[in-house]
Amino acid sequence: MKEELAKRIVESLKDAGINFVTYLPETRLSQIVPLIRDDPGMELIAAASEQEAVTIAAGATLGGKQAAVYMENTGIYVSSYSLLAVGKQLGVPILLIVGYLGGVGDQRNSFLYATIGNHTIPVLQGLGIEHTLLEDGDRLEVKIGDAVRAANALRGPFALLFAGEFSL
Amino acid sequence: MIRYECLELLAAKMTDQLVVTSQSGQRIEWSHLSKHQGNLLVGMMGCAIGVGMGLALALPHRKVIVFDSDGSVLLSLFNLPTLGNLQPKNLTIYVFDNGVYSGSRISYPTATAGSTDLEAMAKAAGIKNAHTVRDIADFKEKGVDALAGNELAFFVCKVEESLMHREIPRPNTDLAENKYTFARYLERTEKKTIPFIGRG
């Protein structure tokens, strides 16, 4: 994605109060990682598994942080147990920043990812996790702010799925 | 060594520590021994170390304790390299390893009853301060003393299978109720607002 979009994502996360990010990087959105790492107002924690990334973010939220997890959508499948056990059952808001590989709007879609993308939204719906699909920078700041507010109001995970311009 | 005896020794030392308990018999035993508002019940296996790590990172000046089981650690082995690299100094983890699938009521042996050594795995992942304790005197000397330490500690506590948790009253606290009690306790003691708590 264009560097300007990466900067807008990170600025929007900060404006929405996000100050703690756990992550496993992927190809589409990874430009946000050095921007978060270099921001003194945000803590960046590398995890070994998306399942772990969700639990660390949940603990940080319970400790007073406003936490997010950055992952590929394959991580939704990997972390579904933690999303249910901690995110939903315990009721802990966590913003999920998801590179939406293999969806129709993924500009680098291929036979490798299409099945992964095809099942992502039904799995989120099955978990009872709301989402917003972002395919361009239109009203990006508003959509990220809305997602954080919704996660807090719902007391659970909320997913932002990035495709389209973000996948170039 | 019996898990309840270990928990009794630790309960006597509790002041303002934050205690995260995983799903297993120790959750019931700890709830029986401690009514402290800094206790956080995590309702499922395999999540408590991650939650404890997040708490320890968010509140680096507070002591965070995790009570976990061999089954939970085997479910979440990815925690070991992350702990080994982050080394949160304020985190102490007690893994009560009875070596059986105790909760299943069949008590068949787990990997740790065989050739799997959790202490060696933790050390290989970078957790230098990992120990196995096998009797209550050793637990008292190493495990209890670690509460006063300022270094990531990981104790594999080899315990006999005990069904005491089926004989004492189960906690009657709902998970959501416990979460809010815990968060309100943190708000009071940390003098800060927890963002997700509703404010009317």
Side-chain angles (χ1 to χ4, degrees), chain B residues 12-54:
Chain B
K13 299 285 186 183
M14 289 297 117
T15 53
D16 63 347
Q17 299 92 337
L18 307 175
V19 179
V20 183
T21 53
S22 178
Q23 168 67 331
S24 87
Q26 43 84 9
R27 171 183 71 90
I28 297 168
E29 292 171 4
W30 185 251
S31 297
H32 187 66
L33 286 165
S34 171
K35 309 296 181 196
H36 195 267
Q37 295 187 339
N39 293 338
L40 179 68
L41 306 173
V42 176
M44 303 290 273
M45 293 174 68
C47 298
I49 291 178
V51 170
M53 211 181 331

Side-chain angles (χ1 to χ4, degrees), chain A residues 52 56 63 81 90-91 93 155, chain B residues 45 54 79 82 179-180 192 196:
Chain A
E52 177 184 47
I56 295 173
Y81 174 73
L90 208 52
R155 296 173 188 83
Chain B
M45 293 174 68
N79 289 147
T82 305
K179 176 191 73 173
Y180 284 112
K192 72 176 187 181
F196 69 87

Side-chain angles (χ1 to χ4, degrees), chain A residues 37-163:
Chain A
R37 182 197 60 197
D38 294 341
D39 192 310
M42 300 175 93
E43 193 165 352
L44 180 69
I45 302 294
S49 155
E50 291 89 349
Q51 191 177 332
E52 177 184 47
V54 167
T55 57
I56 295 173
T61 302
L62 290 164
K65 298 286 188 182
Q66 185 78 65
V69 180
Y70 159 47
M71 65 168 83
E72 188 175 277
N73 53 331
T74 46
I76 296 292
Y77 307 109
V78 174
S79 65
S80 58
Y81 174 73
S82 300
L83 288 168
L84 268 183
V86 181
K88 296 292 288 188
Q89 180 167 265
L90 208 52
V92 180
I94 305 165
L95 182 70
L96 307 176
I97 304 161
V98 181
Y100 183 22
L101 278 66
V104 175
D106 180 10
Q107 301 300 297
R108 288 195 264 172
N109 195 1
S110 76
F111 66 92
L112 284 174
Y113 299 111
T115 304
I116 297 295
N118 184 242
H119 292 274
T120 298
I121 289 174
V123 166
L124 285 171
Q125 289 170 334
L127 293 168
I129 296 174
E130 288 211 45
H131 72 276
T132 297
L133 175 61
L134 299 95
E135 297 198 284
D136 56 45
D138 181 43
R139 299 177 67 246
L140 176 63
E141 293 77 7
V142 173
K143 289 173 183 173
I144 289 177
D146 287 350
V148 174
R149 196 168 52 254
N152 284 338
L154 290 164
R155 296 173 188 83
F158 188 103
L160 289 171
L161 303 180
F162 288 89

Side-chain angles (χ1 to χ4, degrees), chain B residues 183-198:
Chain B
R184 294 290 189 200
Y185 170 73
L186 277 185
E187 283 195 323
R188 283 197 309 279
T189 55
E190 292 293 321
K191 297 182 173 43
K192 72 176 187 181
T193 301
I194 305 295
F196 69 87
I197 291 186

Side-chain angles (χ1 to χ4, degrees), chain B residues 101-186:
Chain B
Y101 292 109
S102 185
S104 68
R105 297 175 190 263
I106 57 173
S107 300
Y108 281 19
T110 63
T112 60
S115 52
T116 300
D117 181 340
L118 291 179
E119 177 196 333
M121 292 175 75
K123 281 184 169 159
I127 305 171
K128 293 183 285 290
N129 193 19
H131 307 275
T132 300
V133 291
R134 299 177 187 277
D135 60 57
I136 198 70
D138 203 18
F139 184 84
K140 196 181 288 186
E141 184 186 334
K142 294 190 181 113
V144 177
D145 282 0
L147 290 176
N150 188 30
E151 180 183 8
L152 170 64
F154 186 92
F155 290 98
V156 181
C157 309
K158 290 287 189 181
V159 293
E160 299 168 32
E161 184 186 20
S162 165
L163 300 181
M164 182 176 286
H165 60 279
R166 294 187 188 157
E167 296 165 13
I168 57 179
R170 297 176 75 87
N172 64 354
T173 308
D174 185 273
L175 285 176
E177 178 187 0
N178 171 251
K179 176 191 73 173
Y180 284 112
T181 300
F182 179 85
R184 294 290 189 200
Y185 170 73
L186 277 185

